[in-house]
Amino acid sequence: QVGDEQPATRIYNPEIRQFTDAPDSMKQVTRGAIWNGYFVARSQLFDAQLQPVEPPFATPDAAEGPWFFETALTNSETLYIRQNDRLFRRDMGTDAPVEVFDVALRGGRLMAPATDGAIYGVRGQQYFKIPQGADTLNRQNIGVPSPQRAPTFLRMDVRKQVWGAPSSGNTLFFMDGDTGVFVSMGAVTPGQGRVEDVAFSGHVAYGVSSPRGELFTLDIELAWDEWNGRNPRVIETLARRGYSRPTGGIRMSPFDNILYSGWSAGPGAQGGAIAVTD
């Protein structure tokens, strides 16, 4: 996947040592995995000639919601399929996928399978391990300080603390401007992505994140309770209106309690919009 102004997908052929344009069926593919000789991406299988083929096995019932291949977990012998909060696994030599778990991940990201069949994942500054057949998400704090990463922005609150967000991960951090000590917060919303900007009105921060186009609010004087949707909490999700990336950031009007945020259209679309939020 290359290019910012003219993004495109290229495929490298090691036999001729050249890149070529992807076929039309793969132009929107950004990540995949190899399983049983197939290339799998989202809900499609491609053969060795990179042509789409129908799955040679039973798939989850589409009436219960869209499904897709979990390429982060899939390897050459085991295929993983995700439908809503349900995860299925199909091992080589079996007739149909079997359910691994049905657990609300709330934006958690599945990372790797364990040798005992459990699945590891991360959510903000926490990790989890889901055994086969589990029905709850047992989150644990990562027991090491988070690494320092380049921030996407810096903003100061009324306490003269500096706030920012890392270039990856839907999280925030704040830093004492006198001591330089910083604290990494958890995920600000259930969605994956990253926080692009925040604006302060007194002790309340208003933020925007991509790629789900979320507007959220955080009261820095209240206890953190994102898991229950209390603080921070999502005000609106603009991706359903066609805008996913807040490339214009967010600003608070100095004259009234109005927020202005600038948005670019979602994948495959052009244009942008200003969101006005009371």
Side-chain angles (χ1 to χ4, degrees), residues 1 9-11 25-47 50 68-76 78-80 110-111:
Q1 197 74 9
T9 302
R10 302 279 190 266
I11 295 179
S25 59
M26 296 188 69
K27 287 189 180 299
Q28 301 302 319
V29 172
T30 58
R31 182 173 182 171
I34 301 296
W35 170 78
N36 192 26
Y38 295 98
F39 180 76
V40 302
R42 294 300 295 176
S43 58
Q44 288 185 287
L45 262 71
F46 299 88
D47 61 18
L50 303 181
F68 61 91
F69 298 116
E70 270 286 2
T71 54
L73 308 180
T74 295
N75 56 45
S76 60
T78 306
L79 180 72
Y80 287 88
L110 303 180
M111 300 295 291

Side-chain angles (χ1 to χ4, degrees), residues 12-239:
Y12 182 73
N13 186 334
E15 292 185 352
I16 61 175
R17 299 184 179 182
Q18 289 182 357
F19 283 96
T20 58
D21 290 337
D24 290 342
S25 59
M26 296 188 69
K27 287 189 180 299
Q28 301 302 319
V29 172
T30 58
R31 182 173 182 171
I34 301 296
W35 170 78
N36 192 26
Y38 295 98
F39 180 76
V40 302
R42 294 300 295 176
S43 58
Q44 288 185 287
L45 262 71
F46 299 88
D47 61 18
Q49 286 71 45
L50 303 181
Q51 296 301 310
V53 295
E54 291 296 322
F57 51 82
T59 58
D61 186 357
E64 298 182 15
W67 58 268
F68 61 91
F69 298 116
E70 270 286 2
T71 54
L73 308 180
T74 295
N75 56 45
S76 60
E77 296 183 353
T78 306
L79 180 72
Y80 287 88
I81 303 173
R82 176 96 169 267
Q83 184 181 45
N84 301 321
D85 290 321
R86 303 173 71 192
L87 183 71
F88 300 88
R89 182 185 70 234
R90 186 180 191 275
D91 297 314
M92 294 283 287
T94 59
D95 295 330
V98 297
E99 183 174 306
V100 181
F101 59 71
D102 185 356
V103 176
L105 300 177
R106 297 286 300 279
R109 187 155 51 103
L110 303 180
M111 300 295 291
T115 55
D116 60 3
I119 302 296
Y120 279 101
V122 295
R123 187 179 188 274
Q125 301 298 321
Q126 297 178 319
Y127 75 94
F128 54 84
K129 179 182 179 181
I130 309 178
Q132 184 163 344
D135 56 5
T136 58
L137 187 66
N138 183 18
R139 296 168 293 135
Q140 304 290 330
N141 290 325
I142 297 175
V144 295
S146 60
Q148 297 185 21
R149 290 170 287 178
T152 57
F153 65 88
L154 295 173
R155 299 284 181 261
M156 186 175 290
D157 66 18
V158 291
R159 297 178 181 175
K160 297 184 179 180
Q161 299 174 126
V162 178
W163 289 76
S167 56
S168 61
N170 202 19
T171 63
L172 286 169
F173 69 83
F174 66 90
M175 182 184 72
D176 186 305
D178 294 325
T179 65
V181 175
F182 75 97
V183 177
S184 293
M185 313 300 288
V188 296
T189 75
Q192 298 178 13
R194 75 177 188 183
V195 181
E196 303 285 358
D197 198 7
V198 297
F200 278 93
S201 176
H203 54 82
V204 178
Y206 296 91
V208 287
S209 63
S210 61
R212 302 206 320 169
E214 292 169 314
L215 273 157
F216 66 89
T217 180
L218 168 66
D219 191 326
I220 65 174
E221 294 188 352
L222 298 180
W224 183 278
D225 189 11
E226 180 275 328
W227 183 256
N228 294 308
R230 294 172 181 166
N231 189 48
R233 63 181 178 84
V234 176
I235 301 174
E236 182 60 272
T237 302
L238 294 180

